[in-house]
Amino acid sequence: MSATPTRKFTLLPMLGHTKGKRSAVTCALKCDNACAGDVCNTSSNSYFRDIASATMSRRAALGLGAAGALAVALGSAVTSPETANAAGLSKAAKEGFGKSKLKFTAIPSVDAAVDAVTVPDGFTWQPVIRWGDPIFKDAPAFDLNNQTAAAQEKQFGYNNDYTDIIEVPGSKGNRAVLFSNHEYTNENIMFPASMPAEQVRAVGAAAHGLSVVELERKNKNKPWSYVQGADLNRRYLNSTVYELTGPVAGSALVKTVADPSGRAIKGTLGNCAGGTTPWGTILSGEENFNGYFAAPGTSAADKRYGLTSKATARQWELDDPRFDTRNAGYANESNRFGWIVEVDPFDPTSTPKKHSSLGRFKHEGANVIVAKSGHVVAYSGDDERFDYLYKFVSKDKYREGDRKHNMTLLSAGNLYVAKFTGNSPAAEITGTGAVPSDGSFDGIGEWLPLVVDGKSAVAGMSVEEVLVYTRLAADKVGPTKMDRCEDVEPSLHTGKVYVACTNNSNRGTGTNEAATEVNPRNQNRDGHIVEITETGDQTSTTFTWNLLMVCGDPAQGDVTYFSGFPADKVSPISCPDNLAFDSVGNLWISTDGAPSGIGRADGLFKVTLDGAERGKVEQFLAVPQDAETCGPIVHDEERSVFVSVQHPGEDGTFEAPRSYFPDYVAAGSTPAAGQVRAPRPAVIQVFRG
Ligand code: FEO
Ligand code: CA
Ligand code: CA
Ligand code: CA
């Protein structure tokens, strides 16, 4: 390898905070400066704010009484604390909302400069697995100062985001598989400035992808630890081949010189959030894939997806021609990313899938529920300012216990995009977040068809074009421009769907669309949560909606809304990102970007959805300096919570760290085996202890 003394990495001095999100490093490495550039969605599809007929009650719209609503047949992820028949009522849905065994006193919000994990009194935490931990029998121990691509390929990757832990059937609760995806890399803190650029690229690439690792514990009262060399352990790398399913498989739009079949795609990129299906597979969203490609940048599609001709942040195009779509034979390579990926964590030899039926955009993730009809429904947000919310409805029906069949369900079905209509007068949506006179941000909505019964519902576009250029197709049918949909997650208790709109600092600025009832704040710094109630069945094309909360810090004078719960009695919360539910129906929200909003560390929050305390927000934990809280898992029945801690200390450098999470090796001391004095993204378990 020829040494390159100066790393071609120009973002390192670019520290400081940017207008829309957290640090400039996050913006450059994670999102390819999505918030610094022009808004990708310049379409003029209009928003119809007022509809006089939008006054029907949600109950009437459902055609259900309260008991009827609970009788909607709900699916249940096998991993969920709501263990139940997958296609039937969840146990919790039958019983209604209950009291959680996970009792805690909310922590005060934590200063953004604190380099520690803060948990409630009576709880403790420890890492389950960290960046660099060896996964396979022959994997070397992590050696911070002597990193190689060959070692990293056998170790846990970087910046774990979506995470789930699924008990291995028949293991009596003492064995599980952990899935994590690895969204992106922070080269500035992973590697010394002296490391040759080729080596930086190679190790960084090997730290992307996905990981599956087996966990073990002595009993349910003991924390999990990972098992090096276990049978199910697997790394998914840039060389791993994914089978493209659905109408785009074999299309000319995805063929390249290296894959003339248009069906075999190497690697997955920008994996952000995800979901676990009722049949026990994992979905992961390819989000900011555009940042990995140099492109002509001139076509309408390139512009709409943020593909530009500038050198990419990591410059993998220097090693592999497919990462520059101007290279002969690779014009379609970027069309092979931006999909929902499905993997089977219980079969380390299985071929992972990319499902074209769910459309191509910056998928935050996808979450599946089984409708009363038996069809499966997947919700997915496009995480970009002024982009859209989508829903997929499977062609075929779920079959209890037929895992092979169920693993085909995401390959064919209908695709829709959401249009929200408010019911309050336009003059009452002031852009401050102040609640209109009817007491609620609410209204009705439609799922506008993009693909129905295998046919395109978009004039002038084929099914293949709709699914590859989904943003352009959606622009033509007039959906609602949202404030960056992150996780979209249906509650297995009620069937209601929760949408985390993380922020949108550009709303109402310049020529950008101003506040609407569903995105009611201009220069939306702190985000909000939308609550959707489908009309009768999860496959419906109409719904009602309301905002569960408008986030912020009431103590700092922010205009907020917490479904009527007193604002002086909530934990301040900003930039909601990932969502999860506990076994008794409470919503849990992890945040990403609170330092740029309320100026406090990111964290994990419990939100009560039912009863007199609906809207109460209680902070459970805070993550270390510069970190984002991802992938929450709430095993409340075991009094245990897991989060992925992503990009701790990312505003620092390798030579001048800003975080020592999770090993916290004291200066001058000798690290214990496997530990280093440097920040490492990690999955942690918080438990009573
Ligand atoms: Fe990777 Fe949408 O956050
Ligand atoms: Ca209203
Ligand atoms: Ca996210
Ligand atoms: Ca985010």
Side-chain angles (χ1 to χ4, degrees), residues 30 161-162 183 271-274 287-288 363-365 383 484-487 502 576-578 590 592 628-631 646:
K30 182 172 191 160
D161 196 309
Y162 181 70
E183 184 178 10
N271 292 89
C272 198
E287 191 189 39
N288 293 300
H363 282 280
E364 168 72 13
D383 180 10
R484 297 188 50 205
C485 297
E486 299 259 20
D487 253 359
T502 194
D577 191 331
N578 299 132
S590 64
D592 167 24
E628 160 186 355
T629 320
C630 296
Q646 204 194 57

Side-chain angles (χ1 to χ4, degrees), residues 119-204:
V119 297
D121 284 346
F123 288 80
T124 190
W125 69 274
Q126 68 182 48
V128 178
I129 191 164
R130 308 159 294 189
W131 166 49
D133 278 337
I135 287 179
F136 302 108
K137 276 199 177 67
D138 61 347
F142 185 53
D143 185 346
L144 181 70
N145 294 303
N146 296 287
Q147 297 182 58
T148 66
Q152 177 64 80
E153 287 180 357
K154 295 179 178 179
Q155 297 165 337
F156 195 66
Y158 204 78
N159 273 347
N160 33 269
D161 196 309
Y162 181 70
T163 299
D164 205 359
I165 293 171
I166 309 176
E167 281 187 16
V168 173
S171 69
K172 297 181 181 167
N174 297 334
R175 201 88 172 182
V177 288
L178 176 149
F179 169 93
S180 280
N181 57 21
H182 305 292
E183 184 178 10
Y184 74 109
T185 42
N186 289 96
E187 283 80 352
N188 52 309
I189 56 173
M190 294 169 73
F191 311 123
S194 59
M195 186 186 274
E198 295 92 331
Q199 193 179 352
V200 168
R201 296 197 296 270
V203 183

